[in-house]
Amino acid sequence: MPNPESLFTDFKLDSAELLEAIFTASGTYFVITDPQTGLIHAISDAWLKTLKYKREEIVGRTSQELNIWLGPEKRAEMIRRIKTDKTVNRFHACLRGKDGSLHDFSVSIQSVVLKKKNYLLFCGYDITEEIKVKNSAVSSRKMLVDALEAMSEGFVLYDPNGLLVICNSKFKEFYHYSDDETKQGVVGYELGKLDIERGTVIVAEENKADYLNRRADLAKGPPQSTFVKLRDGRYLLLSDRVTEDGYIVSIQKDITDIKEAEFAMMRARDEAHIANNTKSEFLAHMSHELRTPLNSILGFTQVMRDELLGDLGHPRYREYINDVHHSGEHLLNLINDVLDISKVESGKFELNEDVLDLKDTISACMQIIRGRQDAATLNIKITVPDEKIYFRGDERIMRQILLNLLTNAVKFTPSDGKVLLDLKKNSDHSIKLIISDTGCGIEENDIPVVLAPFGQARINARTAHEGTGLGLSLSKMLTELHDGTLGLTSKINKGTQVTLSFPAERYVDPASI
């Protein structure tokens, strides 16, 4: 170290005064010690302020006495190095303050001569906050790595140049990468080439370029998700995103279970479609096979019942013929219902629409219902408006709907009960048909059952009434073909109410006819 007086040419300054000024005013940490005794001869205010000592508590004592060094072995290393190297730069020292607080310093040490005697000059700066930030960064990275390793998905991050920044073990496991192949700085495009060369990912020849360039293509459009199939049969969902800084994040989830369930559903749907087509073809083929002999049976029994070719003879024959004819009619009606259900479900049912007078349609249906033997003692009433109610629909189908619902009402209503039919036209020209009875009713949980094909309520299943359970479900389907809805409410031993609601579009203004 040069003589302090040589630094100033215009005036003379005492060395002691110069050192005192520097040690007091400077923000740098200075300490001068005797290399032989270890005694501290001078210390800057900056160091005193940090370690919270007074000058008189430090000067004239050794660091061992004050127990300032956190690790004595570090001080021993420092002494060893200064003896051999004469100068030590950026030596990390952790010192303890008077209050027990710890401070990290980066210290440079060199031998200086003051008044022809050797001393050690310590110059340093406090790196406590720097160490904290560094440790925090290391801790944060460790937390990040731990979090990524805990993920069940694969994770990989690429920088804007397509170089790998970080990935987790799951990512490496999916593609069978080694640690060396996925070290920081590896080009992502090269990993894609490895996938194709090894056959780790099953990619069609025409899609290989898209697979290799998918990350670069992210810059051209919005975030996207893609599926890849691995050689071991697993499926991955790749969700790639671009950050504001141009980094590419890819999260890769194993969706094998989901894809297998999807494939199973598709197979089941295809099988159901084939089965439904087979059923429709069978029913279409059988319709002729069943209807032809039934029509013959009905024709011959009618001729015999009406004795068109002469007397039958014994009176029991007439009874038998009536039974055969009734059974044939019932079987034909069931076949027609099954065929209608099949057509509606396959979307092949076509309406022959025309303008019809609903009051006339209801009257025709009521005439048939009142002719039934089981309706003879029932109180059957209809309520219709005075005005004509014209409706755009299929006359035969509307009769079928009403007859199905009225037949059910009669069938499940005791002999002293009531069956009511109410026709209404609302102010918005929508139309309602309400059929109610005072019969045995349906349990609330059974309502969805009776509205399904072949469904019968438990309370009705115990009765002796015949039927396949197609009436309500078929009526519901045929109502919906007319853009309407069928609603059903019921209470046990109180009765049932069925409401048919049709939109205003089905109403026809009498003035237009």
Side-chain angles (χ1 to χ4, degrees), residues 405-423:
L405 299 178
L406 288 168
T407 299
N408 274 351
V410 169
K411 186 189 300 184
F412 297 109
T413 300
S415 57
D416 59 346
K418 296 179 181 179
V419 174
L420 307 176
L421 187 149
D422 188 12
L423 172 63

Side-chain angles (χ1 to χ4, degrees), residues 85-99:
D85 301 342
K86 303 301 180 182
T87 300
V88 177
N89 292 316
R90 295 182 181 179
F91 185 81
H92 180 205
C94 186
L95 305 183
R96 183 185 292 107
K98 185 178 179 180
D99 60 355

Side-chain angles (χ1 to χ4, degrees), residues 43-111:
I43 185 167
S44 67
D45 285 3
W47 222 315
L48 290 172
K49 184 178 179 181
T50 300
L51 298 180
K52 294 182 173 54
Y53 278 103
K54 295 179 180 180
R55 192 177 304 278
E56 57 268 23
E57 293 176 322
I58 293 284
V59 175
R61 302 180 68 181
T62 66
S63 59
Q64 294 97 316
E65 291 179 69
L66 297 170
N67 195 25
I68 291 177
W69 284 78
L70 181 63
E73 70 281 356
K74 294 288 289 185
R75 180 180 177 279
E77 180 189 350
M78 178 269 296
I79 293 173
R80 178 186 59 77
R81 288 180 60 183
I82 197 63
K83 287 180 178 179
T84 57
D85 301 342
K86 303 301 180 182
T87 300
V88 177
N89 292 316
R90 295 182 181 179
F91 185 81
H92 180 205
C94 186
L95 305 183
R96 183 185 292 107
K98 185 178 179 180
D99 60 355
S101 59
L102 300 179
H103 302 271
D104 290 281
F105 293 90
S106 178
V107 181
S108 296
I109 312 164
Q110 65 180 11
S111 179

Side-chain angles (χ1 to χ4, degrees), residues 139-177:
S139 177
S140 297
R141 180 175 177 84
K142 184 177 184 305
M143 288 175 61
L144 172 62
V145 171
D146 290 345
L148 295 180
E149 289 301 314
M151 291 175 62
S152 60
E153 297 86 3
F155 176 91
V156 61
L157 175 67
Y158 299 96
D159 69 12
N161 296 318
L163 305 181
L164 190 147
V165 177
I166 191 172
C167 67
N168 65 357
S169 298
K170 198 68 178 178
F171 173 74
K172 290 185 278 189
E173 180 219 316
F174 282 150
Y175 300 96
H176 303 287
Y177 296 141

Side-chain angles (χ1 to χ4, degrees), residues 248-275:
I248 296 175
V249 178
S250 180
I251 297 178
Q252 313 194 355
K253 182 177 182 180
D254 187 342
I255 56 167
T256 306
D257 292 343
I258 297 175
K259 293 296 287 184
E260 288 180 350
E262 181 182 319
F263 293 146
M265 188 182 301
M266 292 173 62
R267 288 193 296 270
R269 183 191 62 192
D270 292 342
E271 291 171 0
H273 182 67
I274 293 172

Side-chain angles (χ1 to χ4, degrees), residues 422-441:
D422 188 12
L423 172 63
K424 295 180 179 180
K425 181 176 79 71
N426 299 317
S427 58
D428 61 351
H429 297 312
S430 61
I431 297 171
K432 284 189 182 296
L433 270 164
I434 303 171
I435 300 172
S436 57
D437 62 62
T438 59
C440 59

Side-chain angles (χ1 to χ4, degrees), residues 363-404:
S363 178
C365 292
M366 294 304 294
Q367 186 174 355
I368 295 173
I369 291 298
R370 286 195 172 101
R372 289 174 57 102
Q373 184 176 356
D374 52 0
T377 61
L378 291 176
N379 183 4
I380 301 176
K381 290 185 177 181
I382 63 172
T383 303
V384 295
D386 294 334
E387 62 179 304
K388 292 285 188 179
I389 306 295
Y390 291 106
F391 181 86
R392 182 171 54 82
D394 188 315
E395 171 77 19
R396 182 185 72 84
I397 299 305
M398 289 303 295
R399 287 193 181 198
Q400 185 175 355
I401 295 171
L402 291 175
L403 285 173
N404 282 343

Side-chain angles (χ1 to χ4, degrees), residues 330-345:
H330 176 66
L331 183 56
L332 184 59
N333 288 333
L334 294 181
I335 292 171
N336 288 334
D337 284 350
V338 171
L339 292 174
D340 285 343
I341 285 277
S342 176
K343 287 181 180 178
V344 173
E345 287 181 340

